[in-house]
Amino acid sequence: MPSKVDRKCKSCPTLIARESKTGLCSGCFRAARAAATPSASMASDRERLRTQEAFADLRRKYSEALKTISQQERELRAVSDLGDGLETYHIEPAKGSGKSEATAIMVASDWHVEENVGREVGGLNTFNIDIARQRANKFFQKGLRLTNLLAQDISIPTIVLALLGDFITNDIHSTDKNEELPIHALITAQSMIASGVEFLLRESKYNLVIPCHSGNHARTTKQTQFESENGHSLEYLMYIHLAAYFRHEPRVKFIIPEGMHSYVQIYDQTIRFHHGHAVKYGGGVGGIYIPVNKAIAQWNKGRHADLDVFGHFHQMRDGGNFICNGSLIGYNAFALSIKADFEPPKQALFLIDKKRGRTCTWPILVK
């Protein structure tokens, strides 16, 4: 008598006999027997192992995250505690009182307007008349801008515009690198300077005091003639022309000395201006500092100056008791020959405060 069919298989909805010992239908029973083979058991074990490793890795990352959170909470509490105990005090904004006074000094020298520069310095600098005009314009524009910035906090009634020579290269050595003949170059330099003075007068209310000195390049003799330098200097003639051109301008005063030095008294400070070619520098390891200080010590025996201002060496240096101006032409064959440090073309600007003396020295970058 066949078994009574009245219950379902454990793995599927198929009806099976009540008396079935496995509780499975024939199909599920065969599948179960196949799954019980060694290969299937190994696959199951490998899957279970991967699951356990993934779970262990997750627990490890979770534990590390908890440690990081705990460390950050401690650091946050430490920062909070530090802020709670911090004491501050109030700083008032600094404002110019307007009661003090200063004089700005812009130094112009060593322009060499007609000289071409290029391959002889390995491409470190390029210069010609067009570039000279651009740099001269920047000298006056940036010099006025710096002065105006300083004038926000202190009264500056006067700019001393020191013209310290070597505005042309001339033909005393060679004409191979010159773009213009000496007289034409002098006219070009004169035009640049006059245009700059007119710019300062037009764009500001400052008075201008202009000490003028001849350099060693504008001479008409083969050798430098210190005892009669002005009589052999094309730049001296240029200064006379400039003074005549501005003779009716009440805000302009030219100082054209007959000797090597000019002395300008600015408050209680005596400033000695000159070109600088009387200082003998042979390219020593210490640079210009030793020969300059030796020269200053000797000159001070005759007439003391608090500060010497000069050019000639194509390198801007602040020696404390002297300021050596940079050059407009920049690095050229001369700078290479005297072993001067390479520097971009620049001129000097500094401030003499009525109460404190010299308070700042800035380069006017013209490139």
Side-chain angles (χ1 to χ4, degrees), residues 14 54 292:
T14 304
V292 167

Side-chain angles (χ1 to χ4, degrees), residues 342-364:
F342 172 80
E343 69 175 33
K346 64 180 68 170
Q347 305 278 264
L349 181 147
F350 61 96
L351 199 70
I352 300 292
D353 186 274
K354 186 176 181 178
K355 298 178 180 178
R356 303 173 181 85
R358 182 158 63 96
T359 54
C360 67
T361 301
W362 284 348
I364 301 175

Side-chain angles (χ1 to χ4, degrees), residues 72-185:
Q72 289 177 343
E73 287 177 344
R74 288 195 298 271
E75 293 175 355
L76 185 60
R77 285 194 298 271
V79 171
S80 178
D81 293 342
L82 180 63
D84 292 340
L86 182 63
E87 295 183 0
T88 64
Y89 58 91
H90 184 68
I91 300 176
E92 293 289 344
K95 297 180 181 179
S97 64
K99 297 178 181 179
S100 189
E101 182 181 306
T103 297
I105 295 89
M106 293 172 55
V107 188
S109 73
D110 303 282
W111 288 14
H112 298 274
V113 297
E114 85 277 27
E115 184 177 330
N116 282 308
V117 178
R119 289 181 297 178
E120 72 276 9
V121 292
L124 292 173
N125 184 31
T126 302
F127 190 77
N128 53 45
I129 288 179
D130 289 337
I131 294 175
R133 187 171 288 106
Q134 294 170 14
R135 292 182 183 178
N137 292 346
K138 287 180 182 290
F139 166 71
F140 290 108
Q141 292 167 346
K142 292 186 175 183
L144 179 59
R145 183 166 180 257
L146 286 173
T147 303
N148 288 338
L149 287 172
L150 294 168
Q152 293 180 9
D153 289 326
I154 193 169
S155 173
I156 300 179
T158 302
I159 292 177
V160 175
L161 175 62
L163 306 179
L164 301 186
D166 276 4
F167 289 98
I168 67 172
T169 295
N170 203 359
D171 58 3
I172 58 175
H173 299 304
S174 171
T175 60
D176 294 342
K177 300 298 293 181
N178 294 346
E179 197 171 342
E180 288 184 337
L181 295 173
I183 299 300
H184 298 154

Side-chain angles (χ1 to χ4, degrees), residues 246-257:
F246 290 103
R247 66 186 181 277
H248 297 304
E249 176 52 64
R251 292 165 54 199
V252 176
K253 176 180 174 60
F254 276 83
I255 301 173
I256 308 175

Side-chain angles (χ1 to χ4, degrees), residues 160-237:
V160 175
L161 175 62
L163 306 179
L164 301 186
D166 276 4
F167 289 98
I168 67 172
T169 295
N170 203 359
D171 58 3
I172 58 175
H173 299 304
S174 171
T175 60
D176 294 342
K177 300 298 293 181
N178 294 346
E179 197 171 342
E180 288 184 337
L181 295 173
I183 299 300
H184 298 154
L186 192 77
I187 294 171
T188 298
Q190 181 177 262
S191 174
M192 293 178 185
I193 295 170
S195 299
V197 172
E198 288 182 338
F199 166 78
L200 294 176
L201 292 172
R202 184 179 66 251
E203 299 298 327
S204 77
K205 296 181 179 180
Y206 302 116
N207 297 314
L208 301 179
V209 176
I210 308 179
C212 302
H213 285 274
S214 300
N216 61 306
H217 269 267
R219 66 181 187 264
T220 60
T221 58
K222 185 175 182 180
Q223 300 295 329
T224 300
Q225 306 292 323
F226 287 109
E227 69 280 2
S228 57
E229 187 169 67
N230 283 343
H232 297 284
S233 172
L234 296 176
E235 285 176 334
Y236 177 76
L237 180 63

Side-chain angles (χ1 to χ4, degrees), residues 54-73:
F55 181 71
D57 183 60
L58 184 61
R59 290 190 63 180
R60 184 172 60 255
K61 290 179 179 179
Y62 180 70
S63 177
E64 292 174 356
L66 289 177
K67 292 179 181 178
T68 300
I69 292 171
S70 178
Q71 176 65 24
Q72 289 177 343
E73 287 177 344

